[in-house]
Amino acid sequence: MTTSTPASETGSSEPQTATHQNLGIALVVICLAQLMVVLDATIANIALPYIGDDLGIAQNNLQWVVTGYALAFGGLLLLGGRLGDQFGRRRVFMIGLIVFIVASAIGGLAQNETMLLSSRALQGLGAALASPAALALITTTFPAGPQRNRAFSIFAALAGIGAAFGLVLGGWLTGIESDTIQGWRLTFLINVPIGLVAVLLAPRYLDESRPRRVALDVPGAIIGTVGIVSLVYGFSRAGEEAHGWSDPFTLLALIGGAALLVAFVLVERTVRNPLMPLSLFADRARSIAFVTMFITPAAMFAMFFFMSLVLQNVSGWSPLHTGLAFLPFTVGMIGGATLASNLITRLDPRYIVGAGTLISGFSLLMFSRISVDDSASNILAVASGDAGFASDIDFWVKIAPFIVTMALGMGLNFVTMTLVAVHGIPAEDSGIGSGVLNTMQQVGGAVGLAALSTAAVHFTRDKAESIGASLQSMGGTPPSAAAQKAIDEVVGQAAFTEGASQAFLIGAFMIFGASALVWAFMNTKHTDLHADELEGVHVG
């Protein structure tokens, strides 16, 4: 999901005259690139169990497949936009696509954990270059008026359906198995032909913008991104049984990350053209929108991450079946966004975002009820094949309704917070406001998922030990090696379900905390939000 603002607000050149057919091809090129960027935020979620098995990635490190991409994307997004301004948006767009293609090929051919996670970070870099340039190129290529407005509408619609479509496509590709390639690799390799088509067509059908001199806050981008990565690494390491919270390197990562973020604030206060102007936080309502957007995406990241693992590893669903389970999310998101757009003319943002965050928190609270029968007798029955956990997790009762309500809440939140974020900012600078909001969304989701994954690991470990003690208390003849392996696998499934449920519960209270901030401090009136602020703001 991305939040951006058209390049016309940052001084792009007017597009050259083009035929209707050429403009259609230009839009296809831009949308192909953006679709890849949006899809890759979710397409690998369904493949996580297979990636972990094939590459030997530990459960607590699987979240890096998701967060590695989001951190690089969000951390470098603002710098990517500035590079497009300085060197030409088409040029940076093509460079970003090439980086993305190469990274996707490396990920699809990865032979170990390091190779895969490095490719995900490189994909994030490519996305940070290509995504802001893609939206700006609509203004560079399409003449003002109906054609440009139609292009923006189509571009925005892609982001609305991209996340859910990524899960379905990821499920289908992951389910493809052959003697020559594992299906999960196709979730990365599919980007290569799509990206090559976009790169080859871009020089012919996309107009170049006039490069202009802008100061690049490279130190700020590096310090901020490294600081966030260090924090996420600290959270991840704390979840490892061999290290924990008292481990010196865990503490070093957490303290070092916090120190780097303080340094980032100091840098942004002193440079002439900061990536993240601190003056944006002077407005109370806008600050609350930024903070809320930092917290709430953790709910969505957590749902996609944990739920895809529960449905496959515990309920035994196929990858495609799991991907299809998230289709209701699209319906809820579109409904929430449409409702927010209608309500914003009659209700203050406090009430819309306040309700949206409460609905999202409620949905996570309902997800936290997911459980399985982890009694010793049932564990042995499941291990022997006489029973299963699938009947304990009723999808249509315990999951499906709350996927829709969470999406509804997110739709209410994202649209309204975007309007609040750009309200009161001069038109020529509104791209910075929406860009910072998008950075908060990506980085906040990654940090939130890392924290929730660490909590889940601790609860999973405690539950596994508890179940193990119950099994030992039963006594009896020691099981064979094969039987013990089956028992250990079932214990792991039951324990992971407990860990995921606790992560959902913690996430719910995180969202409720954000909701309290909104109700208390978001003071923008709906009469202050003019209708023209909707033009050019892309929310997905």
Side-chain angles (χ1 to χ4, degrees):
M1 294 189 182
T2 53
T3 308
S4 307
T5 304
S8 58
E9 297 170 349
T10 58
S12 68
S13 59
E14 281 300 311
Q16 302 171 6
T17 302
T19 67
H20 180 75
Q21 181 181 8
N22 286 352
L23 288 178
I25 297 175
L27 183 59
V28 169
V29 172
I30 293 171
C31 289
L32 278 177
Q34 183 63 10
L35 184 61
M36 286 196 307
V37 169
V38 174
L39 286 179
D40 261 66
T42 58
I43 195 170
N45 274 271
I46 305 299
L48 289 175
Y50 300 86
I51 293 173
D53 289 342
D54 288 342
L55 300 184
I57 302 178
Q59 183 71 50
N60 56 293
N61 283 340
L62 274 180
Q63 53 99 3
W64 279 101
V65 179
V66 178
T67 58
Y69 177 77
L71 285 172
F73 184 16
L76 299 174
L77 179 68
L78 295 175
L79 180 62
R82 294 287 177 87
L83 288 171
D85 290 340
Q86 176 149 339
F87 298 107
R89 288 164 184 143
R90 186 180 68 187
R91 180 180 293 110
V92 172
F93 173 77
M94 293 177 63
I95 292 173
L97 283 182
I98 292 170
V99 171
F100 198 91
I101 292 168
V102 172
S104 298
I106 294 173
L109 301 175
Q111 300 300 307
N112 52 56
E113 178 179 350
T114 301
M115 191 174 175
L116 178 66
L117 298 184
S118 299
S119 74
R120 287 294 279 169
L122 192 60
Q123 277 186 314
L125 169 61
L129 295 173
S131 185
L135 185 57
L137 281 168
I138 292 180
T139 302
T140 305
T141 305
F142 289 80
Q147 288 180 318
R148 184 182 295 176
N149 294 339
R150 190 178 305 112
F152 278 130
S153 298
I154 295 173
F155 188 92
L158 275 180
I161 66 173
F165 181 63
L167 291 165
V168 176
L169 181 61
W172 176 62
L173 292 173
T174 301
I176 297 175
E177 290 291 343
S178 69
D179 296 333
T180 57
I181 193 169
Q182 296 109 329
W184 68 263
R185 296 184 182 275
L186 297 176
T187 63
F188 299 103
L189 294 176
I190 192 174
N191 293 320
V192 176
I194 297 174
L196 286 175
V197 170
V199 169
L200 292 174
L201 294 177
R204 180 173 180 179
Y205 294 100
L206 300 180
D207 293 331
E208 182 60 283
S209 62
R210 286 195 301 265
R212 60 190 181 94
R213 295 185 64 84
V214 292
L216 296 177
D217 182 16
V218 177
I222 294 174
I223 292 172
T225 302
V226 174
I228 292 293
V229 170
S230 180
L231 277 180
V232 172
Y233 175 74
F235 283 128
S236 177
R237 189 177 177 88
E240 298 176 10
E241 187 173 6
H243 302 120
W245 292 100
S246 60
D247 176 72
F249 286 103
T250 299
L251 296 174
L252 179 63
L254 293 172
I255 295 172
L260 285 171
L261 293 181
V262 172
F264 171 75
V265 172
L266 296 177
V267 168
E268 298 306 280
R269 291 180 60 183
T270 57
V271 297
R272 178 174 297 180
N273 291 289
L275 279 180
M276 188 178 292
L278 300 183
S279 60
L280 290 175
F281 293 85
D283 181 84
R284 186 173 75 179
R286 188 182 305 121
S287 296
I288 294 301
F290 288 154
V291 172
T292 305
M293 186 59 94
F294 187 86
I295 297 174
T296 53
M300 190 167 59
F301 276 54
M303 184 195 70
F304 288 149
F305 180 80
F306 290 111
M307 199 63 74
S308 63
L309 291 173
V310 167
L311 290 177
Q312 291 182 90
N313 291 347
V314 182
S315 293
W317 286 21
S318 69
L320 179 58
H321 192 184
T322 301
L324 291 171
F326 291 101
L327 275 181
F329 189 87
T330 302
V331 177
M333 178 67 80
I334 294 174
T338 302
L339 183 60
S341 298
N342 292 328
L343 291 177
I344 197 64
T345 60
R346 298 189 293 272
L347 292 177
D348 292 345
R350 167 188 292 159
Y351 301 110
I352 301 174
V353 180
T357 48
L358 288 177
I359 292 171
S360 299
F362 168 77
S363 303
L364 279 183
L365 199 61
M366 294 299 99
F367 288 145
S368 71
R369 301 180 308 153
I370 295 174
S371 63
V372 297
D373 181 359
D374 56 18
S375 64
S377 58
N378 192 60
I379 292 292
L380 294 177
V382 174
S384 64
D386 295 331
F389 288 142
S391 59
D392 293 336
I393 305 176
D394 189 328
F395 175 78
W396 294 109
V397 173
K398 295 184 177 181
I399 299 176
F402 309 112
I403 288 179
V404 176
T405 56
M406 171 170 282
L408 176 67
M410 290 296 173
L412 292 171
N413 295 337
F414 290 155
V415 169
T416 311
M417 285 191 291
T418 300
L419 296 177
V420 173
V422 300
H423 171 64
I425 301 176
E428 64 272 15
D429 294 326
S430 60
I432 298 175
S434 57
V436 170
L437 191 74
N438 188 38
T439 297
M440 291 290 181
Q441 175 186 339
Q442 295 292 332
V443 173
V447 173
L449 177 58
L452 293 176
S453 294
T454 298
V457 167
H458 282 288
F459 284 108
T460 297
R461 188 180 303 133
D462 290 345
K463 174 57 72 171
E465 292 175 355
S466 174
I467 297 174
S470 297
L471 290 171
Q472 287 184 350
S473 67
M474 294 183 67
T477 305
S480 65
Q484 186 61 54
K485 182 179 179 180
I487 292 172
D488 291 343
E489 182 176 341
V490 173
V491 169
Q493 294 171 3
F496 178 78
T497 304
E498 172 69 14
S501 297
Q502 294 298 325
F504 288 137
L505 182 63
I506 295 170
F509 284 101
M510 289 170 56
I511 306 301
F512 289 146
S515 187
L517 292 175
V518 169
W519 287 106
F521 299 112
M522 185 169 282
N523 57 356
T524 301
K525 302 298 182 183
H526 71 275
T527 52
D528 298 332
L529 300 177
H530 301 293
D532 59 357
E533 288 183 273
L534 286 170
E535 182 178 355
V537 176
H538 159 56
V539 180

